[in-house]
Amino acid sequence: QASQARRVSEFRDRAHLTAHQLGELRTLVGSLREHNPFYRAKLADRSSEEATAPDLVALLRSLPYTIKTELIADQRQHPPFGTNLTHPINRYVRCHQTSGSAGAPIRWLDTPDSWNAMLLQWQRVFSAAGVTDEDRFFFAFSFGPFLGFWTAFEAATRLGNLCFPGGGLSSLARLHGLIDAQATVLCCTPTYALHLGEVAVANRIDLNQSQIRRIIVAGEPGGSIPSTRRRLEATWPKARIFDHHGMTEVGPVTYECPDQPGILHVMESSYVAEIIEPGGSDPVAPGELGELVLTTLKRPGSPLVRYRTCDLVMADTRSEERCSCGTLDLGLKGGIIGRTDDMVVVRGVNLYPSAVEDVIRRVRGIAEYQVQIDRTSALVAVKIQVEPDPAQTDLTPEQIATQLRQELQRAFALKFEIETAAPGSLPRFELKAKRWRTVS
């Protein structure tokens, strides 16, 4: 599969790539000063350095950050689409909306050119996954207002692949559909891929019957969490897992390295990526945890300049070298490690949902879980509900709870309250899983 996906970078070296980004960014900023009301206001008190900045770093430092709350406020003050539009409204042909999982939903518009650019980005994701024109796709989600569903589906059809939309079907119907259609590529969230495995077991469907060879997951960090990846591979024994991430307001951002599972490459011909200290502005060194900041180069009609994504990432220490897969694109080790707005501090310990999930998925016999953060007293407490997997008959619920308690204590040096739930009682998620809730 890796050899199928190998592709030499379109750039000779990092200097060539950086020069491309500098030219694109200069053009973008000049256009925004002239035509985009949102960024014209943000850039008004800054000198016009885009034409004379000696390098990419200098140009970036001359530009302000963009944060999501600004975009939400702009759309509230200027409904329905806000002022971050570079063209007249009749130039736009697509409207999508963020999930609202990190604030109020935002509407985002695209022109035919920016839409086509995102389809090419998705085709890069498929190329890295080793997809050929012989593959058949099954999209196991309901097609809502979010961007990723539509761009992935249309990109696959443009490649000439046979595509099956799974919207409006039950999980059992989707399983029968992907098996009957002999689909070879499954696209969904990692949580939903695991849920399909549960449904298969409950209905005595052997997933070895399926022809699924690749599962492209997105929407949550699970695809790059080692224990979740192993659980997915055990559930779908014929398939390799490929992670990916993107956002409605940014577009498709990364593809998984075909040579190094767990490394996500940023498509740097389409984005300028920075990794800065969380809550600060100084860059962090490769190998250090930081917040991913993105500038979009291929959506000039609805752009984002130095957008603080809140995603926590870590640049691969070999990020300045050409990867063994052939690309020069920045590698993110471990994918999306967490989010700055998801971190919970419990007795001085920073807890990230992805780190907790990694421990939970290592414990055999857990089908699903929920985390409750209790802030009703001075000391924050964490309670985890776990639903035992009925297929694991050699373990009692008490044994599962005890093992999980010990693993969490070992990982975080904290005591967790573990409670077992009845089989099938915890919610399942087709889209982004919402397993963490706070009581205050």
Side-chain angles (χ1 to χ4, degrees):
Q1 291 178 338
S3 61
Q4 290 178 328
R6 192 177 307 281
R7 190 182 81 167
V8 176
S9 173
E10 60 194 288
F11 302 102
R12 296 187 303 273
D13 49 32
R14 286 295 307 181
H16 185 205
L17 169 57
T18 302
H20 163 80
Q21 293 176 314
L22 177 60
E24 293 273 303
L25 185 54
R26 279 176 173 158
T27 300
L28 174 65
V29 176
S31 174
L32 300 187
R33 283 188 181 278
E34 186 173 353
H35 302 294
N36 186 290
F38 179 82
Y39 277 108
R40 184 188 302 127
K42 285 179 68 67
L43 296 169
D45 60 348
R46 293 175 179 259
S47 59
S48 179
E49 298 181 18
E50 53 270 12
T52 59
D55 54 43
L56 184 62
V57 171
L59 177 51
L60 286 170
R61 287 178 177 170
S62 74
L63 302 173
Y65 290 108
T66 306
I67 57 176
K68 179 170 278 191
T69 53
E70 290 180 276
L71 303 171
I72 293 172
D74 178 59
Q75 293 202 353
R76 282 176 176 165
Q77 293 165 11
H78 306 279
F81 305 121
T83 63
N84 186 16
L85 299 172
T86 310
H87 307 302
I89 196 70
N90 61 5
R91 290 275 301 275
Y92 297 87
V93 296
R94 301 273 186 164
C95 179
H96 293 276
Q97 182 173 291
T98 64
S99 65
S101 59
I106 305 171
R107 296 184 180 93
W108 216 254
L109 303 185
D110 279 290
T111 65
D113 286 344
S114 63
W115 186 258
N116 185 64
M118 289 189 293
L119 299 189
L120 294 175
Q121 289 158 19
W122 256 109
Q123 289 174 2
R124 181 70 187 98
V125 176
F126 296 149
S127 173
V131 170
T132 73
D133 57 8
E134 299 297 319
D135 280 301
R136 299 180 184 180
F137 281 77
F138 193 94
F139 293 86
F141 37 64
S142 298
F143 283 69
F146 318 127
L147 179 79
F149 307 155
W150 301 93
T151 45
F153 188 91
E154 190 169 336
T157 62
R158 286 200 183 181
L159 283 173
N161 295 96
L162 187 59
C163 296
F164 300 83
L169 300 176
S170 69
S171 296
L172 181 58
R174 287 170 177 165
L175 278 172
H176 285 304
L178 68 87
I179 291 172
D180 292 345
Q182 299 181 1
T184 58
V185 181
L186 172 63
C187 294
C188 59
T189 67
T191 291
Y192 194 67
L194 290 173
H195 176 58
L196 286 176
E198 286 184 297
V199 175
V201 170
N203 290 274
R204 298 179 181 177
I205 297 173
D206 182 2
L207 289 180
N208 280 302
Q209 298 176 37
S210 86
Q211 299 301 310
I212 297 295
R213 295 293 186 272
R214 298 168 182 83
I215 302 178
I216 299 174
V217 296
E220 54 190 37
S224 289
I225 297 174
S227 60
T228 303
R229 179 186 286 270
R230 288 192 293 271
R231 185 76 65 91
L232 286 164
E233 290 169 342
T235 301
W236 297 85
K238 292 182 178 180
R240 176 173 168 183
I241 310 304
F242 287 89
D243 200 6
H244 155 76
H245 105 282
M247 292 167 280
T248 292
E249 67 269 39
V250 171
V253 179
T254 59
Y255 58 92
E256 183 167 281
C257 178
D259 285 0
Q260 302 178 77
I263 296 283
L264 293 185
H265 287 297
V266 176
M267 289 180 263
E268 290 192 89
S269 59
S270 299
Y271 301 94
V272 179
E274 304 169 74
I275 304 177
I276 63 173
E277 58 184 4
S281 58
D282 292 334
V284 302
E288 293 182 5
L289 192 67
E291 180 184 2
L292 181 64
V293 174
L294 293 172
T295 297
T296 58
L297 300 178
K298 300 298 184 184
R299 295 175 88 180
S302 48
L304 283 170
V305 174
R306 303 193 83 188
Y307 184 54
R308 301 191 72 137
T309 67
C310 294
D311 288 328
L312 292 170
V313 299
M314 183 184 300
D316 184 34
T317 53
R318 297 162 294 181
S319 58
E320 292 299 314
E321 304 172 13
R322 187 181 297 276
C323 180
S324 60
C325 73
T327 189
L328 288 162
D329 286 336
L330 170 68
L332 305 178
K333 188 175 182 179
I336 306 303
I337 296 169
R339 289 184 56 82
T340 59
D341 49 3
D342 279 348
M343 186 187 75
V344 177
V345 181
V346 180
R347 297 168 198 169
V349 177
N350 295 343
L351 286 184
Y352 293 100
S354 57
V356 174
E357 176 167 339
D358 192 26
V359 175
I360 292 173
R361 295 298 188 194
R362 292 203 300 259
V363 176
R364 191 164 58 90
I366 298 176
E368 190 51 84
Y369 72 94
Q370 287 271 283
V371 180
Q372 178 179 294
I373 307 299
D374 189 344
R375 298 183 183 275
T376 56
S377 62
L379 290 177
V380 177
V382 182
K383 180 172 76 174
I384 300 179
Q385 280 188 303
V386 295
E387 185 183 307
D389 184 348
Q392 298 288 347
T393 56
D394 60 326
L395 294 173
T396 67
E398 292 74 19
Q399 288 173 322
I400 293 171
T402 297
Q403 185 179 352
L404 176 58
R405 191 178 296 110
Q406 292 171 346
E407 291 292 332
L408 289 166
Q409 170 93 25
R410 187 176 297 118
F412 303 108
L414 290 172
K415 290 184 178 179
F416 292 75
E417 181 184 350
I418 308 299
E419 182 181 282
T420 56
S425 63
L426 295 182
R428 271 33 176 196
F429 304 94
E430 178 181 323
L431 304 177
K432 292 181 180 180
K434 298 178 181 178
R435 296 190 176 95
W436 287 58
R437 63 189 186 94
T438 300
V439 179
S440 56

Coordinates of all heavy atoms in Angstrom, one line a residue, residues 190 217 220-233 241 243 256 262 334-338 352-362 369 435:
P190 N -13.6 7.4 13.8 CA -13.1 6.2 14.4 C -14.1 5.6 15.4 O -14.3 4.3 15.5 CB -11.8 6.6 15.1 CG -11.9 8.1 15.1 CD -12.7 8.5 14.0
V217 N -10.4 7.6 8.6 CA -11.2 8.1 9.7 C -10.8 9.6 9.9 O -9.7 10.0 9.6 CB -10.9 7.3 11.0 CG1 -11.4 5.9 10.9 CG2 -9.4 7.3 11.4
E220 N -12.4 13.2 14.8 CA -11.9 13.1 16.2 C -10.5 12.4 16.2 O -10.2 11.8 15.2 CB -12.9 12.3 17.1 CG -13.3 11.0 16.5 CD -14.4 10.3 17.2 OE1 -15.4 11.0 17.6 OE2 -14.4 9.1 17.4
P221 N -9.8 12.5 17.3 CA -8.4 12.1 17.2 C -8.1 10.6 17.2 O -7.0 10.2 17.1 CB -7.8 12.7 18.5 CG -8.7 13.7 18.9 CD -10.1 13.3 18.5
G222 N -9.1 9.8 17.3 CA -8.9 8.3 17.6 C -8.0 7.6 16.6 O -7.3 6.7 17.0
G223 N -8.0 8.1 15.3 CA -7.2 7.3 14.3 C -5.7 7.3 14.6 O -5.0 6.5 14.1
S224 N -5.2 8.3 15.4 CA -3.8 8.4 15.7 C -3.5 8.0 17.1 O -2.4 8.2 17.6 CB -3.3 9.8 15.4 OG -3.2 10.0 14.0
I225 N -4.6 7.6 17.9 CA -4.3 7.2 19.3 C -4.0 5.7 19.2 O -4.8 4.9 18.7 CB -5.6 7.4 20.1 CG1 -5.9 8.8 20.2 CG2 -5.4 6.7 21.5 CD1 -7.3 9.1 20.9
P226 N -2.8 5.3 19.6 CA -2.3 3.9 19.4 C -3.3 2.8 19.8 O -3.5 1.9 19.0 CB -1.0 3.9 20.2 CG -0.5 5.3 20.2 CD -1.8 6.1 20.3
S227 N -3.9 2.9 21.0 CA -4.7 1.8 21.4 C -6.0 1.8 20.6 O -6.6 0.7 20.4 CB -5.0 1.9 22.9 OG -5.6 3.2 23.2
T228 N -6.5 3.0 20.3 CA -7.8 3.0 19.4 C -7.5 2.5 18.1 O -8.3 1.7 17.5 CB -8.3 4.5 19.4 OG1 -8.5 5.0 20.7 CG2 -9.6 4.5 18.6
R229 N -6.3 2.8 17.5 CA -6.0 2.2 16.2 C -5.9 0.7 16.3 O -6.4 0.0 15.4 CB -4.6 2.8 15.7 CG -4.2 2.2 14.4 CD -2.8 2.7 14.1 NE -2.8 4.1 13.7 CZ -2.9 4.5 12.4 NH1 -3.1 3.6 11.4 NH2 -2.9 5.8 12.1
R230 N -5.3 0.2 17.3 CA -5.2 -1.3 17.5 C -6.6 -1.9 17.6 O -6.9 -3.0 17.0 CB -4.3 -1.7 18.7 CG -2.9 -1.4 18.5 CD -2.0 -2.0 19.5 NE -2.2 -1.4 20.8 CZ -1.6 -0.4 21.3 NH1 -0.6 0.2 20.6 NH2 -1.8 0.1 22.5
R231 N -7.5 -1.2 18.3 CA -8.8 -1.7 18.5 C -9.6 -1.7 17.1 O -10.3 -2.7 16.8 CB -9.6 -0.9 19.5 CG -11.0 -1.3 19.8 CD -11.0 -2.5 20.7 NE -10.5 -2.2 22.0 CZ -11.1 -1.8 23.1 NH1 -12.5 -1.6 23.0 NH2 -10.6 -1.6 24.3
L232 N -9.4 -0.7 16.3 CA -10.0 -0.6 15.0 C -9.4 -1.7 14.1 O -10.2 -2.4 13.4 CB -9.7 0.7 14.4 CG -10.5 1.9 14.9 CD1 -9.8 3.2 14.5 CD2 -11.9 1.9 14.4
E233 N -8.1 -2.0 14.1 CA -7.5 -3.0 13.3 C -8.0 -4.4 13.7 O -8.2 -5.3 12.9 CB -6.0 -2.9 13.4 CG -5.5 -1.7 12.7 CD -4.0 -1.4 13.0 OE1 -3.5 -2.0 14.0 OE2 -3.4 -0.6 12.2
I241 N -5.9 1.3 8.8 CA -6.5 2.6 9.2 C -5.6 3.7 8.7 O -4.4 3.7 8.9 CB -6.6 2.6 10.8 CG1 -7.2 1.4 11.3 CG2 -7.4 3.9 11.2 CD1 -8.6 1.0 10.7
D243 N -5.6 7.9 9.1 CA -6.1 9.1 9.8 C -6.1 10.3 8.9 O -5.3 10.4 7.9 CB -5.3 9.3 11.1 CG -6.1 10.2 12.1 OD1 -7.3 10.5 11.9 OD2 -5.5 10.6 13.2
E256 N -2.4 10.9 6.3 CA -1.5 10.1 7.0 C -0.4 9.6 6.2 O -0.6 9.2 5.0 CB -2.2 8.9 7.6 CG -1.3 8.1 8.5 CD -2.0 7.1 9.4 OE1 -2.6 7.5 10.4 OE2 -2.1 5.9 9.0
G262 N 0.5 7.1 12.1 CA 0.5 8.0 13.3 C 1.2 9.3 13.0 O 1.2 10.2 13.8
G334 N 1.8 11.7 16.0 CA 0.7 11.4 16.9 C -0.6 12.1 16.4 O -1.6 12.1 17.1
G335 N -0.6 12.8 15.3 CA -1.8 13.4 14.8 C -2.2 14.6 15.7 O -1.4 15.3 16.2
I336 N -3.5 14.7 15.9 CA -4.0 15.7 16.7 C -4.0 15.1 18.2 O -4.8 14.2 18.5 CB -5.4 16.2 16.3 CG1 -5.4 16.6 14.8 CG2 -5.9 17.3 17.2 CD1 -4.5 17.7 14.5
I337 N -3.2 15.7 19.0 CA -3.0 15.1 20.3 C -4.1 15.5 21.3 O -4.4 14.8 22.2 CB -1.6 15.5 20.9 CG1 -0.5 14.8 19.9 CG2 -1.4 15.0 22.3 CD1 0.9 15.4 20.2
G338 N -4.6 16.7 21.1 CA -5.7 17.2 22.0 C -6.1 18.6 21.5 O -5.7 19.0 20.4
Y352 N -5.9 15.3 29.0 CA -6.4 15.5 27.7 C -7.3 14.3 27.3 O -6.9 13.2 27.6 CB -5.3 15.6 26.7 CG -4.5 16.9 26.8 CD1 -3.3 16.9 27.4 CD2 -4.9 18.1 26.3 CE1 -2.5 18.0 27.6 CE2 -4.2 19.3 26.5 CZ -3.0 19.2 27.1 OH -2.2 20.4 27.2
P353 N -8.5 14.5 26.7 CA -9.3 13.4 26.4 C -8.6 12.3 25.6 O -8.9 11.1 25.8 CB -10.5 14.1 25.5 CG -10.5 15.4 26.1 CD -9.1 15.8 26.4
S354 N -7.8 12.7 24.6 CA -7.1 11.7 23.8 C -6.2 10.8 24.7 O -6.1 9.6 24.4 CB -6.3 12.3 22.7 OG -5.4 13.2 23.2
A355 N -5.5 11.4 25.7 CA -4.6 10.6 26.5 C -5.4 9.6 27.4 O -5.0 8.5 27.6 CB -3.8 11.5 27.4
V356 N -6.6 10.1 27.9 CA -7.4 9.2 28.7 C -8.0 8.1 27.8 O -8.0 6.9 28.2 CB -8.6 10.0 29.3 CG1 -9.6 9.1 30.0 CG2 -8.0 11.0 30.3
E357 N -8.4 8.4 26.6 CA -8.9 7.4 25.7 C -7.8 6.3 25.4 O -8.1 5.1 25.3 CB -9.4 8.0 24.4 CG -9.9 6.9 23.4 CD -10.6 7.4 22.2 OE1 -11.2 8.5 22.3 OE2 -10.7 6.7 21.2
D358 N -6.6 6.7 25.2 CA -5.5 5.8 24.9 C -5.4 4.8 26.1 O -5.2 3.6 25.8 CB -4.2 6.5 24.8 CG -3.1 5.7 24.2 OD1 -3.4 4.7 23.5 OD2 -1.9 5.9 24.5
V359 N -5.6 5.2 27.3 CA -5.5 4.2 28.4 C -6.8 3.4 28.4 O -6.7 2.1 28.6 CB -5.4 5.0 29.8 CG1 -5.5 4.0 30.9 CG2 -4.1 5.8 29.8
I360 N -8.0 3.9 28.2 CA -9.2 3.2 28.3 C -9.2 2.1 27.2 O -9.6 0.9 27.5 CB -10.4 4.1 28.2 CG1 -10.5 5.0 29.4 CG2 -11.7 3.3 28.0 CD1 -11.6 6.1 29.3
R361 N -8.8 2.4 26.0 CA -8.8 1.5 24.9 C -7.8 0.4 25.1 O -7.9 -0.7 24.4 CB -8.6 2.2 23.6 CG -9.6 3.2 23.2 CD -11.0 2.5 23.0 NE -12.0 3.5 22.4 CZ -13.3 3.2 22.4 NH1 -13.8 2.1 22.9 NH2 -14.1 4.1 21.9
R362 N -6.8 0.6 26.0 CA -5.8 -0.5 26.2 C -6.4 -1.6 27.1 O -5.9 -2.7 27.2 CB -4.6 0.1 26.9 CG -3.7 1.0 26.0 CD -2.3 1.0 26.5 NE -2.1 1.6 27.8 CZ -1.8 2.8 28.1 NH1 -1.6 3.7 27.1 NH2 -1.6 3.2 29.3
Y369 N -17.6 4.3 26.8 CA -17.3 4.9 28.0 C -17.8 6.4 28.0 O -18.1 6.9 26.9 CB -15.8 4.9 28.4 CG -14.9 5.8 27.5 CD1 -14.6 7.1 27.9 CD2 -14.5 5.4 26.2 CE1 -13.8 7.9 27.1 CE2 -13.7 6.2 25.4 CZ -13.4 7.5 25.9 OH -12.6 8.3 25.1
R435 N -18.1 12.4 24.7 CA -18.0 11.5 25.8 C -17.7 12.3 27.1 O -17.8 11.7 28.2 CB -16.9 10.5 25.6 CG -17.2 9.5 24.5 CD -16.2 8.4 24.5 NE -16.5 7.4 23.4 CZ -15.9 7.4 22.2 NH1 -15.0 8.4 21.9 NH2 -16.2 6.5 21.3

